[in-house]
Amino acid sequence: MSEMFDAVDALVASRAPLPPAEERKRLRVAHGLTLDDVAGALKVRRATVSAWESPKKPTEPRGPEREAYARLLKQLAELYPAPVPATFTAAAAPAEVRPLSTGEASEAAVMTATENTQTPVPAPVAAAPAAAPRPASTTRSTSTSRRPGARKAAPAGTPAGGTDPRFENGPLAVVDVDEDGKVLAYCTGGLVLDVPAKSLPSLVDWTLKEAKLGAPKLSGPGKDADPLLVLTGAALERYGLPATLTEEERIAGRIPEGHKVIKQLARAQWQLTKRGFGPWARIYRPAQGSERACVQLCIPSWNALDTRHWGTAGQLAPAELARLLGVYASRVMTPRGSTAVTGLELMTALHPATRASEPDATGKRHSEHNPGSLGKDPVDCAPCEAPDGHPLLKDLPRFHVRGPAEKLFEEAYDWARPMTDAECTLRYLVGLDVNMAFAAGANGLNVGLGAPTHVTNPVFDPKLPGSWLVDLSHVDLSKVKVGKEWVELDGSLLPSPFTPKGERPEGPAWYATPTVAYAVELGYEVRPLEAWVRRENGRYLDGWYNRLRDAYLATMADLGVDADLSPEDFLAAMDGYKARDPELAIVVAAIKATVKGGLGKLRERPRGEGWRPGEPWRALSRPTWRPDIRAAVISRTRINLHRKIVKHASFTGQYPIAILSDCVVYAANGPSPLDFLPYREGKPLPGGFKLGINPGLVKHEGTQDVLWGEEVRERFNAPELNLARYIKDGTVTDADNGE
């Protein structure tokens, strides 16, 4: 009899209709399953499962695969029921009616979504009764709910709203207009709010008074993050804003001051910051005591989400964009502008310039300097640290070109050399890329906090941040100390650690502290002629590094790349990781851009504004305009890489072919890093290259044939063409592939 029942079940399953493709994907993602997981269980190819979920033209499974697939979807649907759309106005929702979805699966999904966040999520409670159902829009994702009283089981990596009652709906919302003309705010965690606002001023009012958006401060003396509204094209039209900027407006970075929406804001007594109404507009009223009244806008169609760093984020549906930006906001911070601006703002958020003092005799507190911060006033850099055109250099002759003895030039590597005859007999060129290399360079780095002090004939102190004028031309890479032992190397096959182009210095030059300290580490004496040192110093970037490292590792773990994988498993996990969740892959790219951009902002150059050489520019008024800190991080990053190269060469006799920033290329007999990295029983060479996802460890950047490298160099008649620039996919372009 049981066999008959099984046959009946199979017959029903073979003819039963399957849910739409979007629902199939929602159910899979809600349970944290990858395409590979499902393909392995059903014994089909990964591409087959992907085709079943294709939103444009999904294919239908057949035979026993359909039966098994239907069974899987049925069980997942019981765990993750589709949310019931309902009309519910956020303004009318009492604060206490905000339960999460019920069920163990929902709880697990919420806990997964909030890993590595500072604030725990409360346990779910019973769901409130739904309001009268409303037909769902056919053009919207089925993963959202139209009432603030319910949350769906969100995909892995989706942040839920915070536990702070002021910000229980999360840090941001994507504002859109549905087919029926209803304005909706898509929040994190799958929540959707109805927006009653009819104009932009009323939208700002609603956001501050009713939306419960924002995020708690990242440090004790800091400030809470202002709510962020992302306006879609439909929302721009609803609120009287242009869908795109004209060429003139794009260059200016704002719409004209006389625009009708700006006049509406002014009549409602709202103000704009000096940068005006542009892609990242800030609308505010002066603070009343400790209470801030500020809302930030992000307008993707005005190029707020630069495709170089945010990929296709600007083209995502509202719910998906809310999820993507929500993950970034919860793990890094609410975006304050470009990834570069956000990287710099994160430094200040973790180390605010001031703090409240202890109460005085009258019990009143005052604002005072926050120890460990850069303070609230900018400081002048040393003349050698100043970029060309800086006011400190205004007395130099107009066409004077400063040499190494006048200018600190700490930059990332761009070095290559011809291959040896022995290397040409090997089959492959294999590229290694250092994960989050510049973040790793910032970790534990002692940097200056205050103004520099000039010293003549100083004794070098590796613990003292500063810029040193010293002759390092006597350092011979053919004989260096590795650890405590002297080793002999082929110095002609190694780049100099002291110059970005890898050329041996020819005389005195300015260097940051980590570069000079490395010369001492290699076993050579240094005698600085002069220095600009910073007596007030500290590990200012540690918290910044930790925050970005945790964000990176948590997001990569969501993509199936964990920190404790074996070398073989790590290489397998990295293969195609971006396709497992393209939205989270964009978050990874944005986190990396936040690191590089934030450090770049420490030496921001003039950006038009009618600037002339010798005049100050806007960035100089920031306490965070600190070219010395940027130079120290880049110096340490370059030295960290060179140290690994020397260690690898001393142990294996292998030397790099090319280096670009944090990507290094070796010739090898096999296509994998494991074909030349000296692993022994799964353990790497101490101090050398180690495969892994942690910052400072390396991943496989790409592999090409040695014949490809020789052909490219011959085609361009460039025996020292930097192959690291093209090793990723072999395509020769002007773009840098070194990350």
Side-chain angles (χ1 to χ4, degrees):
M1 183 67 70
S2 61
E3 294 180 359
M4 189 180 299
F5 288 162
D6 291 341
V8 170
D9 290 343
L11 186 62
V12 173
S14 68
R15 297 292 187 271
L18 297 177
E22 293 85 352
E23 178 67 2
R24 301 173 195 177
K25 180 179 180 180
R26 184 191 75 82
L27 292 171
R28 174 180 61 78
V29 174
H31 200 59
L33 299 176
T34 65
L35 292 171
D36 291 323
D37 293 335
V38 178
L42 302 183
K43 295 181 173 53
V44 297
R45 294 186 304 113
R46 181 181 186 276
T48 301
V49 181
S50 179
W52 294 345
E53 296 181 357
S54 173
K56 294 183 179 179
K57 192 176 181 181
T59 61
E60 293 296 313
R62 298 179 180 179
E65 290 84 8
R66 182 185 180 91
E67 177 184 347
Y69 191 46
R71 184 182 182 90
L72 171 66
L73 295 176
K74 179 180 178 182
Q75 293 184 16
L76 292 179
E78 292 174 355
L79 290 173
Y80 310 103
V84 179
T87 303
F88 198 95
T89 302
E96 62 271 14
V97 186
R98 292 203 38 80
L100 304 178
S101 299
T102 58
E104 295 178 358
S106 297
E107 180 178 2
V110 172
M111 293 306 295
T112 301
T114 54
E115 283 181 343
N116 299 300
T117 56
Q118 295 181 337
T119 309
V121 175
V125 295
R134 169 192 175 96
S137 170
T138 58
T139 61
R140 298 293 164 217
S141 168
T142 59
S143 64
T144 57
S145 167
R146 286 289 305 279
R147 58 189 180 88
R151 292 188 190 273
K152 74 178 185 67
T158 302
T163 56
D164 189 321
R166 298 172 300 160
F167 313 126
E168 60 181 314
N169 290 338
L172 56 89
V174 179
V175 181
D176 191 29
V177 182
D178 69 6
E179 291 181 335
D180 299 327
K182 292 281 291 183
V183 182
L184 306 175
Y186 292 78
C187 307
T188 58
L191 175 69
V192 182
L193 306 177
D194 283 326
V195 181
K198 304 297 184 183
S199 66
L200 192 62
S202 62
L203 177 63
V204 174
D205 277 322
W206 172 82
T207 302
L208 292 172
K209 295 177 181 177
E210 302 175 24
K212 296 188 177 181
L213 296 173
K217 57 189 177 182
L218 296 180
S219 66
K223 299 175 182 177
D224 296 327
D226 298 319
L228 172 66
L229 296 181
V230 184
L231 303 183
T232 67
L236 292 174
E237 182 180 356
R238 168 60 61 91
Y239 292 117
L241 292 165
T244 58
L245 298 179
T246 65
E247 182 64 16
E248 182 180 355
E249 292 167 345
R250 187 190 62 79
I251 294 173
R254 62 181 74 190
I255 59 176
E257 295 295 327
H259 194 279
K260 62 179 181 180
V261 172
I262 296 180
K263 293 180 178 179
Q264 289 176 4
L265 292 169
R267 286 195 296 269
Q269 298 183 330
W270 290 107
Q271 300 179 28
L272 296 168
T273 58
K274 290 182 179 179
R275 62 183 176 185
F277 202 122
W280 289 93
R282 298 187 70 80
I283 304 172
Y284 73 99
R285 286 182 180 137
Q288 301 294 326
S290 62
E291 293 297 321
R292 290 165 57 83
C294 182
V295 172
Q296 178 161 305
L297 303 183
C298 167
I299 306 178
S301 64
W302 294 7
N303 200 34
L305 301 176
D306 192 324
T307 54
R308 293 173 298 175
H309 309 135
W310 290 102
T312 59
Q315 283 74 53
L316 291 175
E320 283 70 30
L321 181 56
R323 179 207 175 205
L324 186 157
L325 293 176
V327 172
Y328 180 90
S330 66
R331 293 178 176 174
V332 180
M333 69 179 298
T334 305
R336 297 286 302 272
S338 67
T339 50
V341 169
T342 303
L344 196 70
E345 291 286 344
L346 180 61
M347 297 180 195
T348 304
L350 294 168
H351 286 288
T354 59
R355 67 177 184 183
S357 67
E358 293 297 323
D360 59 17
T362 64
K364 188 176 181 180
R365 296 179 184 269
H366 305 274
S367 176
E368 66 178 14
H369 175 73
N370 183 29
S373 75
L374 299 181
K376 59 184 180 65
D377 299 315
V379 297
D380 279 338
C381 61
C384 62
E385 297 163 353
D388 293 338
H390 191 279
L392 288 175
L393 309 175
K394 64 182 179 181
D395 294 332
L396 288 178
R398 183 175 180 184
F399 297 107
H400 177 73
V401 178
R402 294 186 294 162
E406 300 172 278
K407 179 180 180 181
L408 177 69
F409 192 65
E410 294 283 11
E411 298 295 340
Y413 267 130
D414 186 354
W415 169 87
R417 63 169 175 82
M419 283 186 274
T420 65
D421 291 343
E423 288 166 342
C424 288
T425 64
L426 302 177
R427 292 188 61 188
Y428 299 101
L429 296 175
V430 184
L432 300 176
D433 183 79
V434 182
N435 294 314
M436 298 272 283
F438 293 97
N443 182 29
L445 179 64
N446 202 33
V447 301
L449 301 178
T453 301
H454 186 255
V455 186
T456 304
N457 296 321
V459 176
F460 176 68
D461 182 354
K463 297 181 180 179
L464 187 60
S467 299
W468 309 78
L469 180 62
V470 58
D471 188 350
L472 300 180
S473 60
H474 63 291
V475 178
D476 185 2
L477 294 180
S478 62
K479 186 177 182 180
V480 298
K481 265 189 175 181
V482 178
K484 296 182 179 180
E485 298 181 357
W486 286 93
V487 299
E488 293 186 359
L489 304 171
D490 189 340
S492 65
L493 301 180
L494 287 170
S496 168
F498 310 127
T499 61
K501 292 293 185 181
E503 302 164 342
R504 188 168 179 168
E506 298 179 351
W510 286 98
Y511 303 101
T513 297
T515 302
V516 185
Y518 186 57
V520 176
E521 180 184 326
L522 292 176
Y524 291 86
E525 183 181 10
V526 297
R527 294 181 179 178
L529 303 175
E530 59 178 302
W532 290 89
V533 297
R534 286 171 168 81
R535 308 289 185 190
E536 182 188 357
N537 52 70
R539 291 165 58 158
Y540 174 73
L541 295 173
D542 273 10
W544 184 80
Y545 162 78
N546 290 334
R547 181 85 178 170
L548 290 164
R549 174 205 61 197
D550 292 349
Y552 175 68
L553 292 180
T555 311
M556 288 302 295
D558 288 339
L559 287 165
V561 186
D562 296 310
D564 56 355
L565 295 173
S566 67
E568 295 80 5
D569 290 342
F570 169 70
L571 291 175
M574 286 295 295
D575 186 19
Y577 77 92
K578 294 181 180 179
R580 293 174 199 146
D581 191 328
E583 293 165 20
L584 288 185
I586 293 174
V587 175
V588 170
I591 292 171
K592 292 179 180 180
T594 302
V595 173
K596 285 191 172 182
L599 294 172
K601 279 282 186 180
L602 292 170
R603 199 193 67 162
E604 184 177 359
R605 302 302 304 275
R607 306 180 66 172
E609 306 165 4
W611 174 80
R612 294 181 179 179
E615 296 178 351
W617 58 91
R618 185 183 303 175
L620 299 187
S621 63
R622 296 194 322 251
T624 49
W625 192 85
R626 293 294 302 271
D628 57 299
I629 296 179
R630 173 188 177 273
V633 173
I634 293 176
S635 164
R636 192 161 185 247
T637 302
R638 193 181 66 246
I639 295 307
N640 285 347
L641 180 57
H642 196 275
R643 186 182 292 113
K644 289 180 171 64
I645 290 170
V646 167
K647 186 74 173 181
H648 185 83
S650 67
F651 189 80
T652 67
Q654 298 168 337
Y655 296 85
I657 302 294
I659 310 172
L660 181 69
S661 187
D662 43 15
C663 176
V664 56
V665 176
Y666 283 89
N669 267 325
S672 167
L674 290 175
D675 291 318
F676 71 95
L677 292 182
Y679 271 83
R680 296 293 183 272
E681 298 179 356
K683 295 183 179 180
L685 172 67
F689 295 106
K690 179 181 179 181
L691 290 166
I693 198 59
N694 278 294
L697 305 188
V698 298
K699 64 178 183 290
H700 184 205
E701 178 70 1
T703 296
Q704 304 296 331
D705 294 333
V706 166
L707 292 177
W708 164 86
E710 288 296 276
E711 186 275 330
V712 168
R713 285 178 164 179
E714 183 177 344
R715 189 197 325 161
F716 290 95
N717 192 25
E720 297 183 3
L721 183 71
N722 195 333
L723 298 176
R725 194 182 304 273
Y726 318 111
I727 194 71
K728 191 167 190 175
D729 58 12
T731 303
V732 180
T733 66
D734 292 332
D736 284 358
N737 283 335
E739 293 183 350

